PDB file of all heavy atoms in Angstrom:
ATOM      1  N   GLY A 111     -18.195  16.206   8.303  1.00  0.00           N
ATOM      2  CA  GLY A 111     -18.279  15.268   7.140  1.00  0.00           C
ATOM      3  C   GLY A 111     -16.959  15.004   6.442  1.00  0.00           C
ATOM      4  O   GLY A 111     -16.920  14.513   5.301  1.00  0.00           O
ATOM      5  N   GLU A 112     -15.825  15.337   7.138  1.00  0.00           N
ATOM      6  CA  GLU A 112     -14.537  15.206   6.476  1.00  0.00           C
ATOM      7  C   GLU A 112     -14.228  13.790   6.019  1.00  0.00           C
ATOM      8  O   GLU A 112     -13.740  13.548   4.914  1.00  0.00           O
ATOM      9  CB  GLU A 112     -13.417  15.678   7.395  1.00  0.00           C
ATOM     10  CG  GLU A 112     -13.441  17.183   7.698  1.00  0.00           C
ATOM     11  CD  GLU A 112     -14.162  17.500   9.011  1.00  0.00           C
ATOM     12  OE1 GLU A 112     -15.151  16.811   9.343  1.00  0.00           O
ATOM     13  OE2 GLU A 112     -13.779  18.462   9.642  1.00  0.00           O
ATOM     14  N   ASP A 113     -14.522  12.797   6.899  1.00  0.00           N
ATOM     15  CA  ASP A 113     -14.203  11.403   6.559  1.00  0.00           C
ATOM     16  C   ASP A 113     -14.947  10.969   5.268  1.00  0.00           C
ATOM     17  O   ASP A 113     -14.383  10.384   4.372  1.00  0.00           O
ATOM     18  CB  ASP A 113     -14.585  10.431   7.694  1.00  0.00           C
ATOM     19  CG  ASP A 113     -13.701  10.581   8.898  1.00  0.00           C
ATOM     20  OD1 ASP A 113     -12.653  11.204   8.826  1.00  0.00           O
ATOM     21  OD2 ASP A 113     -14.089  10.015   9.963  1.00  0.00           O
ATOM     22  N   ALA A 114     -16.239  11.267   5.246  1.00  0.00           N
ATOM     23  CA  ALA A 114     -17.060  10.866   4.078  1.00  0.00           C
ATOM     24  C   ALA A 114     -16.599  11.588   2.813  1.00  0.00           C
ATOM     25  O   ALA A 114     -16.598  10.998   1.730  1.00  0.00           O
ATOM     26  CB  ALA A 114     -18.549  11.131   4.379  1.00  0.00           C
ATOM     27  N   LEU A 115     -16.268  12.843   2.953  1.00  0.00           N
ATOM     28  CA  LEU A 115     -15.786  13.615   1.757  1.00  0.00           C
ATOM     29  C   LEU A 115     -14.477  13.041   1.252  1.00  0.00           C
ATOM     30  O   LEU A 115     -14.269  12.939   0.045  1.00  0.00           O
ATOM     31  CB  LEU A 115     -15.646  15.065   2.116  1.00  0.00           C
ATOM     32  CG  LEU A 115     -16.987  15.834   2.243  1.00  0.00           C
ATOM     33  CD1 LEU A 115     -16.782  17.211   2.896  1.00  0.00           C
ATOM     34  CD2 LEU A 115     -17.681  16.006   0.877  1.00  0.00           C
ATOM     35  N   LEU A 116     -13.547  12.683   2.160  1.00  0.00           N
ATOM     36  CA  LEU A 116     -12.287  12.120   1.717  1.00  0.00           C
ATOM     37  C   LEU A 116     -12.554  10.785   1.006  1.00  0.00           C
ATOM     38  O   LEU A 116     -11.945  10.481  -0.043  1.00  0.00           O
ATOM     39  CB  LEU A 116     -11.297  11.965   2.873  1.00  0.00           C
ATOM     40  CG  LEU A 116      -9.926  11.505   2.436  1.00  0.00           C
ATOM     41  CD1 LEU A 116      -9.234  12.514   1.510  1.00  0.00           C
ATOM     42  CD2 LEU A 116      -9.035  11.292   3.660  1.00  0.00           C
ATOM     43  N   ALA A 117     -13.430   9.979   1.581  1.00  0.00           N
ATOM     44  CA  ALA A 117     -13.783   8.701   0.944  1.00  0.00           C
ATOM     45  C   ALA A 117     -14.347   8.950  -0.463  1.00  0.00           C
ATOM     46  O   ALA A 117     -14.027   8.213  -1.418  1.00  0.00           O
ATOM     47  CB  ALA A 117     -14.792   7.926   1.806  1.00  0.00           C
ATOM     48  N   ARG A 118     -15.179   9.964  -0.620  1.00  0.00           N
ATOM     49  CA  ARG A 118     -15.765  10.280  -1.916  1.00  0.00           C
ATOM     50  C   ARG A 118     -14.676  10.655  -2.932  1.00  0.00           C
ATOM     51  O   ARG A 118     -14.784  10.373  -4.144  1.00  0.00           O
ATOM     52  CB  ARG A 118     -16.778  11.443  -1.827  1.00  0.00           C
ATOM     53  CG  ARG A 118     -18.011  11.131  -1.074  1.00  0.00           C
ATOM     54  CD  ARG A 118     -18.908  10.099  -1.738  1.00  0.00           C
ATOM     55  NE  ARG A 118     -19.412  10.559  -3.022  1.00  0.00           N
ATOM     56  CZ  ARG A 118     -19.673   9.737  -4.045  1.00  0.00           C
ATOM     57  NH1 ARG A 118     -19.460   8.450  -3.935  1.00  0.00           N
ATOM     58  NH2 ARG A 118     -20.166  10.235  -5.160  1.00  0.00           N
ATOM     59  N   CYS A 119     -13.624  11.336  -2.502  1.00  0.00           N
ATOM     60  CA  CYS A 119     -12.506  11.655  -3.401  1.00  0.00           C
ATOM     61  C   CYS A 119     -11.934  10.383  -4.006  1.00  0.00           C
ATOM     62  O   CYS A 119     -11.756  10.268  -5.225  1.00  0.00           O
ATOM     63  CB  CYS A 119     -11.370  12.354  -2.637  1.00  0.00           C
ATOM     64  SG  CYS A 119     -11.703  14.066  -2.128  1.00  0.00           S
ATOM     65  N   TYR A 120     -11.695   9.407  -3.152  1.00  0.00           N
ATOM     66  CA  TYR A 120     -11.093   8.145  -3.653  1.00  0.00           C
ATOM     67  C   TYR A 120     -12.086   7.406  -4.573  1.00  0.00           C
ATOM     68  O   TYR A 120     -11.718   6.972  -5.662  1.00  0.00           O
ATOM     69  CB  TYR A 120     -10.637   7.238  -2.509  1.00  0.00           C
ATOM     70  CG  TYR A 120      -9.349   7.709  -1.933  1.00  0.00           C
ATOM     71  CD1 TYR A 120      -9.310   8.615  -0.861  1.00  0.00           C
ATOM     72  CD2 TYR A 120      -8.156   7.373  -2.506  1.00  0.00           C
ATOM     73  CE1 TYR A 120      -8.096   9.119  -0.367  1.00  0.00           C
ATOM     74  CE2 TYR A 120      -6.901   7.848  -2.010  1.00  0.00           C
ATOM     75  CZ  TYR A 120      -6.936   8.724  -0.945  1.00  0.00           C
ATOM     76  OH  TYR A 120      -5.751   9.216  -0.497  1.00  0.00           O
ATOM     77  N   GLN A 121     -13.345   7.384  -4.151  1.00  0.00           N
ATOM     78  CA  GLN A 121     -14.367   6.669  -4.984  1.00  0.00           C
ATOM     79  C   GLN A 121     -14.509   7.331  -6.349  1.00  0.00           C
ATOM     80  O   GLN A 121     -14.517   6.665  -7.385  1.00  0.00           O
ATOM     81  CB  GLN A 121     -15.729   6.720  -4.258  1.00  0.00           C
ATOM     82  CG  GLN A 121     -15.752   5.860  -2.974  1.00  0.00           C
ATOM     83  CD  GLN A 121     -16.895   6.224  -2.057  1.00  0.00           C
ATOM     84  OE1 GLN A 121     -17.808   6.993  -2.440  1.00  0.00           O
ATOM     85  NE2 GLN A 121     -16.891   5.709  -0.841  1.00  0.00           N
ATOM     86  N   ASN A 122     -14.614   8.666  -6.367  1.00  0.00           N
ATOM     87  CA  ASN A 122     -14.855   9.377  -7.621  1.00  0.00           C
ATOM     88  C   ASN A 122     -13.613   9.300  -8.521  1.00  0.00           C
ATOM     89  O   ASN A 122     -13.758   9.164  -9.763  1.00  0.00           O
ATOM     90  CB  ASN A 122     -15.279  10.794  -7.350  1.00  0.00           C
ATOM     91  CG  ASN A 122     -16.733  10.848  -6.877  1.00  0.00           C
ATOM     92  OD1 ASN A 122     -17.593  10.168  -7.402  1.00  0.00           O
ATOM     93  ND2 ASN A 122     -17.025  11.665  -5.865  1.00  0.00           N
ATOM     94  N   CYS A 123     -12.423   9.461  -7.947  1.00  0.00           N
ATOM     95  CA  CYS A 123     -11.204   9.416  -8.769  1.00  0.00           C
ATOM     96  C   CYS A 123     -11.081   8.005  -9.409  1.00  0.00           C
ATOM     97  O   CYS A 123     -10.697   7.922 -10.585  1.00  0.00           O
ATOM     98  CB  CYS A 123      -9.996   9.697  -7.957  1.00  0.00           C
ATOM     99  SG  CYS A 123      -9.838  11.409  -7.493  1.00  0.00           S
ATOM    100  N   LEU A 124     -11.312   6.991  -8.619  1.00  0.00           N
ATOM    101  CA  LEU A 124     -11.134   5.629  -9.152  1.00  0.00           C
ATOM    102  C   LEU A 124     -12.219   5.317 -10.189  1.00  0.00           C
ATOM    103  O   LEU A 124     -11.918   4.638 -11.218  1.00  0.00           O
ATOM    104  CB  LEU A 124     -11.155   4.622  -8.018  1.00  0.00           C
ATOM    105  CG  LEU A 124      -9.858   4.682  -7.142  1.00  0.00           C
ATOM    106  CD1 LEU A 124     -10.071   3.910  -5.827  1.00  0.00           C
ATOM    107  CD2 LEU A 124      -8.664   4.116  -7.908  1.00  0.00           C
ATOM    108  N   ALA A 125     -13.421   5.795  -9.961  1.00  0.00           N
ATOM    109  CA  ALA A 125     -14.485   5.531 -10.963  1.00  0.00           C
ATOM    110  C   ALA A 125     -14.151   6.234 -12.285  1.00  0.00           C
ATOM    111  O   ALA A 125     -14.344   5.678 -13.385  1.00  0.00           O
ATOM    112  CB  ALA A 125     -15.838   6.037 -10.389  1.00  0.00           C
ATOM    113  N   LEU A 126     -13.659   7.482 -12.190  1.00  0.00           N
ATOM    114  CA  LEU A 126     -13.315   8.251 -13.374  1.00  0.00           C
ATOM    115  C   LEU A 126     -12.119   7.561 -14.129  1.00  0.00           C
ATOM    116  O   LEU A 126     -12.114   7.453 -15.358  1.00  0.00           O
ATOM    117  CB  LEU A 126     -12.942   9.640 -12.959  1.00  0.00           C
ATOM    118  CG  LEU A 126     -12.991  10.814 -13.926  1.00  0.00           C
ATOM    119  CD1 LEU A 126     -14.365  10.816 -14.685  1.00  0.00           C
ATOM    120  CD2 LEU A 126     -12.845  12.112 -13.149  1.00  0.00           C
ATOM    121  N   ALA A 127     -11.166   7.094 -13.356  1.00  0.00           N
ATOM    122  CA  ALA A 127     -10.014   6.379 -13.952  1.00  0.00           C
ATOM    123  C   ALA A 127     -10.516   5.152 -14.687  1.00  0.00           C
ATOM    124  O   ALA A 127     -10.108   4.889 -15.812  1.00  0.00           O
ATOM    125  CB  ALA A 127      -9.022   6.008 -12.872  1.00  0.00           C
ATOM    126  N   ALA A 128     -11.433   4.403 -14.096  1.00  0.00           N
ATOM    127  CA  ALA A 128     -11.975   3.192 -14.724  1.00  0.00           C
ATOM    128  C   ALA A 128     -12.722   3.572 -16.008  1.00  0.00           C
ATOM    129  O   ALA A 128     -12.590   2.904 -17.035  1.00  0.00           O
ATOM    130  CB  ALA A 128     -12.884   2.442 -13.748  1.00  0.00           C
ATOM    131  N   GLN A 129     -13.518   4.634 -15.962  1.00  0.00           N
ATOM    132  CA  GLN A 129     -14.300   5.066 -17.139  1.00  0.00           C
ATOM    133  C   GLN A 129     -13.384   5.369 -18.288  1.00  0.00           C
ATOM    134  O   GLN A 129     -13.773   5.243 -19.457  1.00  0.00           O
ATOM    135  CB  GLN A 129     -15.051   6.326 -16.811  1.00  0.00           C
ATOM    136  CG  GLN A 129     -16.430   6.179 -16.174  1.00  0.00           C
ATOM    137  CD  GLN A 129     -16.950   7.505 -15.684  1.00  0.00           C
ATOM    138  OE1 GLN A 129     -16.746   8.589 -16.316  1.00  0.00           O
ATOM    139  NE2 GLN A 129     -17.570   7.500 -14.536  1.00  0.00           N
ATOM    140  N   HIS A 130     -12.166   5.854 -18.001  1.00  0.00           N
ATOM    141  CA  HIS A 130     -11.238   6.173 -19.051  1.00  0.00           C
ATOM    142  C   HIS A 130     -10.257   5.067 -19.372  1.00  0.00           C
ATOM    143  O   HIS A 130      -9.241   5.288 -20.047  1.00  0.00           O
ATOM    144  CB  HIS A 130     -10.482   7.493 -18.701  1.00  0.00           C
ATOM    145  CG  HIS A 130     -11.378   8.680 -18.877  1.00  0.00           C
ATOM    146  ND1 HIS A 130     -12.325   9.053 -17.986  1.00  0.00           N
ATOM    147  CD2 HIS A 130     -11.498   9.547 -19.939  1.00  0.00           C
ATOM    148  CE1 HIS A 130     -12.993  10.101 -18.436  1.00  0.00           C
ATOM    149  NE2 HIS A 130     -12.484  10.432 -19.615  1.00  0.00           N
TER     150      HIS A 130
END
Side-chain angles (χ1 to χ4, degrees):
E112 294 95 326
D113 290 347
L115 286 166
L116 186 62
R118 292 295 296 149
C119 289
Y120 283 92
Q121 292 162 10
N122 285 317
C123 287
L124 288 166
L126 203 49
Q129 273 170 37
H130 285 79

